[in-house]
Amino acid sequence: MSPLLPSRCGVARSANREPPPYRFPADFLWGTATAAYQIEGTQSDDWAAFEQDVIQHRRFEQLAPGKPRPGHIHRLGDYSQEIRQKKTDFDSRIEDDLAMAAAMGHQAYRFSISWARLFPSPAHTEPDPAGLAYYQRIFAALARGRMTAVVTLFHFTSPAWLWQQRAGRRGWERPDALFHWERFVRAVLHHFGEHMPIVCTLNEPMVYVYAGYLDGVFPPHEQRGAPQSVLPLVERLLEAHALAYHLVKADAARRGKSVLVGFAQHTRAFEPLRSRHPLDRVAAAVIERMFIWDFCDAVSSGTLRMTGTFFKKEIPNLRGTQDYLGINYYGRYYIKATPLTEPHFEVLMHDPEAPEADRPSDLGWASYPRGFRVILQEAARRYQLPIYILENGTADARDDDTLRRQLLVEHIHEMWLARRHGADVRGYFHWSLLDNFEWAEGFEARFGLIKVDYQDGFRRTPRPSAGLFSRIIAQSGLDEATCREYGLLSG
Ligand code: BGC
């Protein structure tokens, strides 16, 4: 159980007295995750509009690695129109890329379906045939490679037309947003429901809310101020999740199939920068609850509450709408209270006093495998549900990706420990199969097991981590040699 007030942990990974091997059950699902906008050819959606605006006004800056500047996409101008349009050129390589994943031993593939590709205009009452044909290729390639499809219905982007005002609102806040969402979800189910055993309704709703409406680094670039100001949007996303959950379950029941439905929650270990500082500790605790658990609690109980406020609202049909908990984990954030300046805290991506100890990624994010186990155990304690790791990875652009390899092994070890302590973790999806478009960080942050060479016609080259991941899958975990090679036995 996490303590009432977190303190800062001095070690990056957990001790383990049990000797290797650290194995996972035969039905544990290993795979990778991607998202439509990040790898596919551009559709007419809110992010495409943002990209065009960035190019037109030459807004290519960042404040610091990992800290995008609102309204900007880091170094986007360094990439040609062709690259910006094709992203990874996945469109012409679907079959090859997925055959490569299958050949690497991956058993599953998480991807998202672009709402704008299926419904490019509001006049489309039926999905666009070319859009359907596109996703048919993906499902067919997965079937050929005997890989389980894990489908995300919303991964940050929505059709451009949804951003025209209706009754003074746009995007998810339009009064008719759920009507259009339902049409999209029904279309996906009608055409692909047969092949969707695991569904993720929303990807990281709190990142979407925070980045788009508080921090302003994602469309629609709002900075609404107080966290309470985003509650109507959070409610709408919960309604969208509940609606999708019930549609997917009803579709599966009609087909006589079973399906697991959940959503993906972005998690970090939030720890006080100054361990003994009570305000840092309080701020870290409040942020963790608000950012990670409030949304999950709402889905579990049916009532949305916001930590630190008296807000409480029941959302119809929401209670218990998750069959599993989807966890995305990306390391540690340090919280520093700043009582005299809004918003009264600062988020640090690594400790500026001791950066080496944090092994920062190319984005400056502190690596913290131990936090992974802590979050998984906390999730298991809170909800007693199966858990799927829907994302975990790091930005490491090097051809010999030593950081990615090290972290891969350490996180799998922590996941094994979490299972040992009762967390029912059933699958692990590495972010990501390929280098891709990392939102406001542009093409610079490289998360792929497979490198994409943008200067050489999108050429694919597996990094050493791809081979390591294949070995881990083949051995259903970590054998002694791997543990030794990556220093797990030394401390
Ligand atoms: C998102 C991905 C993103 C990854 C790495 C997650 O927050 O779901 O779209 O690329 O983290 O930043």
Side-chain angles (χ1 to χ4, degrees):
M1 197 208 296
S2 68
L4 211 50
L5 284 185
S7 49
R8 184 169 158 168
C9 183
V11 290
R13 59 187 208 219
S14 306
N16 180 4
R17 291 225 177 89
E18 259 186 77
Y22 306 127
R23 293 209 197 285
F24 292 78
D27 59 357
F28 192 87
L29 213 50
W30 299 95
T32 59
T34 62
Y37 193 84
Q38 297 179 268
I39 62 168
E40 296 181 4
T42 306
Q43 303 302 305
S44 176
D45 58 28
D46 50 345
W47 267 87
F50 174 33
E51 271 198 68
Q52 273 161 23
D53 185 68
V54 162
I55 291 292
Q56 197 182 341
H57 297 98
R58 305 191 59 73
R59 296 204 201 95
F60 305 137
E61 288 160 37
Q62 58 170 199
L63 298 172
K67 258 205 188 295
R69 181 159 174 200
H72 289 245
I73 297 179
H74 180 51
R75 294 185 62 178
L76 188 64
D78 295 359
Y79 292 80
S80 68
Q81 151 86 22
E82 186 198 3
I83 296 170
R84 297 196 310 266
Q85 161 60 33
K86 293 187 177 169
K87 297 292 186 289
T88 64
D89 196 28
F90 185 66
D91 294 13
S92 51
R93 295 160 193 256
I94 290 175
E95 290 74 15
D96 291 350
D97 284 346
L98 295 179
M100 182 146 62
M104 288 175 167
H106 302 181
Q107 301 151 348
Y109 177 65
R110 174 181 173 227
F111 65 103
S112 74
I113 295 191
S114 159
W115 188 351
R117 196 188 272 279
L118 294 196
F119 291 90
S121 84
H124 276 79
T125 52
E126 293 295 324
D128 188 63
L132 291 175
Y134 183 91
Y135 290 107
Q136 254 136 21
R137 284 174 61 202
I138 296 185
F139 282 104
L142 293 178
R144 272 195 301 279
R146 295 181 190 284
M147 287 187 284
T148 302
V150 177
V151 174
T152 306
L153 296 170
F154 177 74
H155 198 126
F156 297 163
T157 58
S158 47
W161 53 260
L162 194 67
W163 293 89
Q164 284 152 19
Q165 302 248 357
R166 276 282 175 290
R169 312 235 143 134
R170 41 190 201 145
W172 278 109
E173 292 176 302
R174 268 171 54 148
D176 59 351
L178 291 182
F179 167 83
H180 289 291
W181 169 246
E182 177 167 350
R183 179 180 277 172
F184 165 64
V185 175
R186 280 187 188 279
V188 170
L189 291 170
H190 179 73
H191 292 276
F192 306 119
E194 186 70 20
H195 315 292
M196 293 168 40
I198 304 178
V199 174
C200 168
T201 58
L202 308 176
N203 181 67
E204 302 186 341
M206 293 310 289
V207 169
Y208 180 74
V209 168
Y210 181 78
Y213 294 82
L214 291 173
D215 206 21
V217 296
F218 282 13
H221 308 292
E222 294 190 21
Q223 293 180 328
R224 289 192 180 174
Q228 288 94 313
S229 61
V230 296
L231 280 165
L233 176 67
V234 175
E235 274 176 60
R236 182 53 62 81
L237 292 171
L238 285 165
E239 287 164 0
H241 163 77
L243 178 59
Y245 178 90
H246 293 296
L247 289 171
V248 177
K249 295 302 265 191
D251 178 80
R254 249 193 320 273
R255 296 176 194 272
K257 295 213 146 197
S258 63
V259 63
L260 293 175
V261 189
F263 68 98
Q265 183 67 319
H266 184 100
T267 67
R268 302 261 176 171
F270 291 101
E271 292 191 356
L273 181 69
R274 299 160 295 184
S275 209
R276 277 168 223 256
H277 200 296
L279 289 183
D280 285 9
R281 298 180 69 190
V282 172
V286 169
I287 291 169
E288 175 185 323
R289 291 193 65 117
M290 261 192 182
F291 190 73
I292 304 179
W293 306 118
D294 282 355
F295 198 95
C296 300
D297 286 354
V299 173
S300 167
S301 69
T303 301
L304 173 63
R305 292 184 173 78
M306 184 182 249
T307 298
T309 72
F310 294 109
F311 181 87
K312 183 177 169 196
K313 183 157 180 194
E314 198 183 321
I315 312 280
N317 305 320
L318 176 65
R319 185 161 178 221
T321 51
Q322 53 183 353
D323 305 327
Y324 69 88
L325 207 76
I327 295 283
N328 297 356
Y329 178 78
Y330 284 101
R332 164 154 62 184
Y333 276 162
Y334 296 108
I335 304 299
K336 182 181 180 190
T338 54
L340 301 180
T341 38
E342 291 271 5
H344 307 305
F345 63 85
E346 229 181 277
V347 179
L348 287 93
M349 282 171 292
H350 61 259
D351 185 347
E353 312 269 300
E356 324 72 47
D358 275 334
R359 295 179 290 169
S361 74
D362 292 352
L363 286 175
W365 297 352
S367 310
Y368 187 41
R370 181 183 169 278
F372 192 30
R373 179 178 64 76
V374 174
I375 297 259
L376 293 177
Q377 287 177 217
E378 176 64 6
R381 182 190 73 79
R382 281 174 168 265
Y383 310 109
Q384 290 106 41
L385 284 173
I387 297 173
Y388 284 90
I389 311 308
L390 293 182
E391 288 181 32
N392 170 237
T394 194
D396 179 359
R398 284 172 296 183
D399 287 349
D400 175 17
D401 53 350
T402 39
L403 183 65
R404 180 175 294 102
R405 280 188 283 137
Q406 186 66 36
L407 292 183
L408 183 58
V409 169
E410 290 184 16
H411 282 83
I412 286 168
H413 176 234
E414 300 288 340
M415 184 167 73
W416 184 87
L417 282 170
R419 280 180 50 91
R420 199 61 159 178
H421 287 91
D424 182 13
V425 187
R426 297 191 182 175
Y428 174 91
F429 292 75
H430 192 77
W431 184 272
S432 184
L433 178 64
L434 308 165
D435 286 343
N436 56 53
F437 176 76
E438 176 54 25
W439 308 112
E441 297 293 343
F443 291 96
E444 294 289 292
R446 305 292 169 92
F447 279 88
L449 293 174
I450 298 171
K451 170 181 169 174
V452 174
D453 194 337
Y454 296 96
Q455 311 317 328
D456 187 9
F458 305 97
R459 192 156 63 91
R460 274 55 170 154
T461 312
R463 294 195 169 95
S465 57
L468 172 62
F469 192 44
S470 296
R471 196 162 98 205
I472 290 170
I473 298 171
Q475 294 170 345
S476 304
L478 305 172
D479 64 356
E480 192 181 331
T482 308
C483 293
R484 200 170 292 289
E485 188 180 343
Y486 290 93
L488 281 191
L489 303 184
S490 58

